[in-house]
Amino acid sequence: MALELRPNCECCDIDLPPHAEAYICTFECTWCGDCAATFEGRACPNCGGNLERRPVRPASKLAANPPSTVRVHGG
């Protein structure tokens, strides 16, 4: 199962295309860099897990493994 590349920041709702700098936790909660920087201890506000930079999916793999179109907002 491929990593779910969510299309937006769950906090500010900014678009996060597959190549954008984004941060995720183990549950794939997704945050932009600006919002992630404001979280105490740089921990996910949903689960408390650590945030890591979301890997970039190679463009050649996006057709067979497209990013999610489901927007999550509100944390």
Side-chain angles (χ1 to χ4, degrees), residues 3 13-14 16 21 26 29 37 41 54-55 60-61 65 68:
L3 179 70
D13 202 32
I14 192 171
L16 294 171
E21 177 183 344
T26 189
C29 300
R54 179 177 75 180
S60 64
K61 304 295 183 190
N65 300 282
S68 174

Side-chain angles (χ1 to χ4, degrees), residues 6 8-17 19-24 29-43 45 51-54:
R6 295 184 181 166
N8 65 304
C9 173
E10 293 185 32
C11 185
C12 72
D13 202 32
I14 192 171
D15 289 340
L16 294 171
H19 62 276
E21 177 183 344
Y23 292 83
I24 60 172
C29 300
T30 304
W31 315 98
C32 71
D34 289 342
C35 289
T38 68
F39 301 148
E40 185 176 339
R42 205 171 181 106
L51 297 177
E52 296 291 335
R53 179 130 184 219
R54 179 177 75 180

